[in-house]
Amino acid sequence: MCGIVGYIGGQAATPILIDGLTQLEYRGYDSAGIAVLGPSGARRVRSVGRVRDLEAALPKRLAGKAGIGHTRWATHGAPSEANAHPQADGAERIFVVHNGIIDNARSLREALQADGVQLTSDTDTEAIAHLVAAAEEDTLEQAVLATVGRLTGTFALAVMDTEHPDRIVVARNGSPLILGVGDHEMFVASDVSAVVRHTSQVVHLDDGECATVTAGGFHLFTAEAETVGRSATTVEMTAAELELGNHEHFMLKEILEQPQSLERMLTGRLDDRFATARLDGLNLDPQAMRRFKRVKILGCGSAYYMGQLGASVIEELARIPADAEPASEFRYRNPIIEPDTLYVAVSQSGETADTAFAVQEVKRKGGTIVGLVNVVGSTIAREVDGGLYLHAGPEVSVASTKANTHMAVGFVLMALALGRVRDLSITDGARIVRALKELPRQIGEIVADGAKIAEAAQLLAQAPSLFFIGRVRGYPTAREGAQKFKEISYRHAEAYQTSELKHGPLALISPELPTVAVIPDDELLDRNIGALHEISARGGDIVAITHDTVEVDTRLKITVPKSEPELDPILLMIPTQLLAYHAALALGENIDKPRNLAKSVTVE
Ligand code: G6P
């Protein structure tokens, strides 16, 4: 979704802004723009389409050592040059870039129009520029504070004033914003990836905070104009991790990275002596862990499916009733928050608005919520009572792969820790610890041998519609497989419990509708095979994702190494990532940036 970048210092601002916007492209957007403050005043350039279209529209000389830029995901008004940011007041004195949604935009716009202001866009952001320009306060900071006091909704703002060219003033409420601290230069961004090429020192703003950013540093303050003391922290991410390297797509790069990234995630977290997981970040001692009678997992999209997988592992290993719910639904149904339920928010970005609001809902009602989050220092990571960082490294492809695998493994660690303070025996704990240690190597084996999977993907890509089926442990894997497939190949893919086929979906089975069947070699094998016979009998092609030991008579059989039954769904998921990738590749789709989707959905 929308991205913000800002720069002030000794270098030319334009290339830094363009580079920052390029780094933010993965979030999804439909138009982009920059405004640069130079010796001869401010200059603004905006364009519909990609950042490279904006770059092509730039004049030869766009000098200036301060500027702000934006990638926009249309909310108020269609994608158009007039609606792209930066927005400005009529005199082009104040320039504003904004992420989030201003709920009272309509009344603010009407009030401005009643005062004779000519609005040139349909955006909520334009109102902000006019309000700052019209504010009678002495300083830009005071004008911004007075303006944000009139806004309801969510925002991350960066404001530039031609009358105060030495500063950018920023404000945050509900949308992420960070400052990058350089050597006699400062950066502003909605996401660390826009600044890591320049600095590893970042400051995260909290909701309700503002900052003045100058070439010499920053001053953080609250809505009441009280100074906030906060120093920069060092980010782990490196610029190299955001490069494609020798890969054609980030999605493939991220799939192939999984053995190493998982190895890193597990380091120091497995305790051989007590056959458990060390998760100090959860901030839960054994007594606290024993107190919970239920686990409720909240996430969106793939994170929700991984939550389902996690709930199943937690029930199996810890024998605590557990379930997952889309955070987007949970927040709106006035949920009952129970004191003896452990709530878990799961998110790659840590910025998904629906998940962040669900966290706030749990906290407001006094519940305990921990996070499984990838992005360090993100909104959700900072709001939860404790958590477990996924350490997957940056994920650029919109279709999440390695972060999903890390989520699943994170839930196994959590299940192990919860189980070992309850009835999970040391023998069973040791069995899971051993299996976890093997996972990176086993995933390495699957991704190293993608030929069979690519062949299956070619077959599936021909079909306009397909099923993914799995049951009990295998069902979340099937759901995530279908999600990935439809996200990037634009083929209709639907997941069903294998057991439910005969209760309806079987009516659709025909030679035109193939099925991807997730079939672990477990106690349900015979029943799964029975369902495959029913599909074959109706002429449906089957691609089985299974184990070597399973004998199935299907069009194609993709096998994965065997783990423990509780972990098998994780390994069975890896081929579904590659299936989606190769199908989209065969169909010539834009794999890393699928249409209509954003990597991080920071608005409702
Ligand atoms: C968006 C993305 C999905 C992702 C979901 C949750 O909808 O398009 O791919 O699974 O957000 O994202 P999160 O960052 O919270 O894991």
Side-chain angles (χ1 to χ4, degrees):
M1 298 233 127
C2 304
I4 287 179
V5 60
Y7 174 77
I8 187 159
Q11 304 188 58
T14 304
I16 293 174
L17 297 176
I18 294 291
D19 177 63
L21 293 180
T22 307
Q23 296 307 322
L24 294 174
E25 279 195 296
Y26 77 96
R27 293 165 66 99
Y29 68 105
D30 45 51
S31 50
I34 60 170
V36 174
L37 262 180
S40 50
R43 191 78 196 267
R44 170 172 59 155
V45 185
R46 295 174 291 169
S47 130
V48 175
R50 312 310 273 172
V51 173
R52 61 173 177 273
D53 300 314
L54 171 69
E55 215 176 344
L58 294 177
K60 281 228 167 55
R61 274 183 56 78
L62 190 55
K65 294 178 178 171
I68 52 178
H70 192 257
T71 45
R72 174 170 185 259
W73 172 281
T75 55
H76 286 65
S80 69
E81 195 177 319
N83 286 337
H85 301 198
Q87 289 288 321
D89 64 318
E92 301 213 348
R93 175 172 75 83
I94 300 293
F95 293 88
V96 179
V97 290
H98 162 223
N99 286 0
I101 294 180
I102 305 301
D103 296 336
N104 61 338
R106 190 160 164 193
S107 63
L108 293 173
R109 286 173 59 92
E110 282 168 2
L112 286 163
Q113 281 168 321
D115 286 344
V117 171
Q118 292 273 337
L119 296 174
T120 58
S121 78
D122 309 314
T123 64
D124 46 354
T125 311
E126 187 182 2
I128 302 173
H130 285 285
L131 289 173
V132 174
E136 285 168 4
E137 277 72 13
D138 295 335
T139 65
L140 178 60
E141 287 77 356
Q142 287 166 344
V144 170
L145 278 182
T147 302
V148 299
R150 296 182 61 184
L151 307 177
T152 57
T154 54
F155 52 83
L157 297 175
V159 183
M160 236 172 35
D161 180 351
T162 54
E163 288 180 8
H164 297 282
D166 64 332
R167 63 196 54 207
I168 298 171
V169 175
V170 302
R172 169 188 165 138
N173 183 44
S175 297
L177 197 64
I178 59 126
L179 309 179
V181 183
D183 185 12
H184 300 291
E185 58 183 0
M186 286 288 299
F187 305 83
V188 174
S190 48
D191 169 333
V192 174
S193 56
V195 305
V196 283
R197 273 161 207 272
H198 309 285
T199 178
S200 61
Q201 299 300 303
V202 303
V203 178
H204 292 269
L205 265 74
D206 280 332
D207 283 346
E209 289 178 351
C210 302
T212 304
V213 182
T214 62
F218 67 96
H219 171 225
L220 268 187
F221 52 96
T222 63
E224 292 73 38
E226 280 165 17
T227 298
V228 178
R230 185 172 309 141
S231 38
T233 52
T234 306
V235 290
E236 283 176 23
M237 192 192 296
T238 63
E241 285 177 291
L242 296 169
E243 304 288 342
L244 254 182
N246 300 326
H247 302 282
E248 216 181 317
H249 299 101
F250 278 104
M251 184 177 178
L252 184 61
K253 172 179 183 251
E254 288 157 8
I255 291 172
L256 297 177
E257 267 167 11
Q258 295 180 103
Q260 295 77 35
S261 65
L262 268 186
E263 197 83 65
R264 183 174 63 220
M265 178 194 191
L266 292 171
T267 304
R269 281 177 163 162
L270 295 175
D271 181 332
D272 287 315
R273 189 155 162 236
F274 295 106
T276 186
R278 265 196 236 113
L279 304 176
D280 299 341
L282 288 181
N283 297 329
L284 296 170
D285 61 23
Q287 274 99 345
M289 283 212 244
R290 284 184 63 92
R291 187 168 60 81
F292 297 115
K293 297 207 168 72
R294 188 179 287 279
V295 176
K296 176 81 160 180
I297 301 166
L298 303 165
C300 295
S302 294
Y304 158 57
Y305 297 136
M306 291 304 99
Q308 279 205 315
L309 191 155
S312 147
V313 177
I314 289 170
E315 280 203 353
E316 280 202 78
L317 294 180
R319 303 303 296 154
I320 309 174
D323 74 332
E325 181 176 341
S328 48
E329 290 287 289
F330 176 84
R331 60 177 286 210
Y332 280 114
R333 63 168 183 83
N334 192 18
I336 298 163
I337 303 300
E338 297 159 316
D340 48 12
T341 295
L342 174 64
Y343 293 86
V344 185
V346 56
S347 173
Q348 188 287 125
S349 62
E351 302 294 353
T352 301
D354 285 322
T355 312
F357 278 115
V359 171
Q360 286 165 9
E361 180 75 9
V362 173
K363 288 188 76 179
R364 201 170 25 246
K365 292 180 173 171
T368 303
I369 185 152
V370 296
L372 245 72
V373 174
N374 193 34
V375 177
V376 176
S378 56
T379 302
I380 295 169
R382 284 179 305 131
E383 272 193 9
V384 287
D385 301 315
L388 167 61
Y389 274 123
L390 298 176
H391 292 296
E395 190 177 70
V396 176
S397 158
V398 167
S400 182
T401 52
K402 65 172 175 169
N404 288 350
T405 308
H406 281 238
M407 287 172 188
V409 172
F411 282 119
V412 177
L413 292 172
M414 202 180 255
L416 191 56
L418 287 167
R420 288 287 294 126
V421 296
R422 290 159 183 262
D423 295 334
L424 186 72
S425 69
I426 194 156
T427 316
D428 271 331
R431 177 174 69 78
I432 299 299
V433 168
R434 268 197 311 275
L436 281 167
K437 286 185 181 165
E438 285 295 303
L439 267 193
R441 184 189 54 76
Q442 292 175 312
I443 291 179
E445 276 177 34
I446 302 170
V447 299
D449 181 18
K452 202 46 154 317
I453 303 176
E455 187 191 335
Q458 300 279 351
L459 169 83
L460 298 173
Q462 313 300 320
S465 192
L466 58 148
F467 283 169
F468 279 72
I469 58 170
R471 69 181 302 185
V472 188
R473 290 189 196 109
Y475 180 53
T477 302
R479 289 192 90 181
E480 172 50 25
Q483 167 94 338
K484 205 94 301 161
F485 205 89
K486 67 169 83 103
E487 276 182 315
I488 59 168
S489 75
Y490 312 143
R491 291 295 192 245
H492 171 236
E494 209 172 340
Y496 281 104
Q497 288 99 338
T498 312
S499 54
E500 278 293 295
L501 262 190
K502 58 183 178 298
H503 296 301
L506 203 57
L508 289 175
I509 296 291
S510 74
E512 282 74 50
L513 190 137
T515 297
V516 178
V518 176
I519 311 174
D521 187 357
D522 64 8
E523 64 281 3
L524 291 170
L525 181 60
D526 290 343
R527 293 190 190 285
N528 273 323
I529 288 184
L532 297 192
H533 288 314
E534 290 181 18
I535 296 170
S536 302
R538 284 151 186 89
D541 272 335
I542 300 167
V543 171
I545 304 180
T546 185
H547 294 118
D548 252 345
T549 43
V550 172
E551 280 180 30
V552 281
D553 180 20
T554 55
R555 175 84 178 254
L556 277 160
K557 178 176 161 189
I558 297 164
T559 58
V560 303
K562 183 81 182 74
S563 180
E564 293 297 330
E566 298 87 340
L567 273 67
D568 279 335
I570 303 176
L571 290 173
L572 291 161
M573 181 168 72
I574 309 299
T576 70
Q577 302 173 342
L578 285 162
L579 271 183
Y581 174 79
H582 286 293
L585 190 68
L587 292 164
E589 302 299 353
N590 187 350
I591 292 180
D592 285 334
K593 293 185 200 124
R595 70 183 181 210
N596 305 343
L597 296 178
K599 179 76 182 151
S600 163
V601 182
T602 50
V603 296
E604 271 188 57

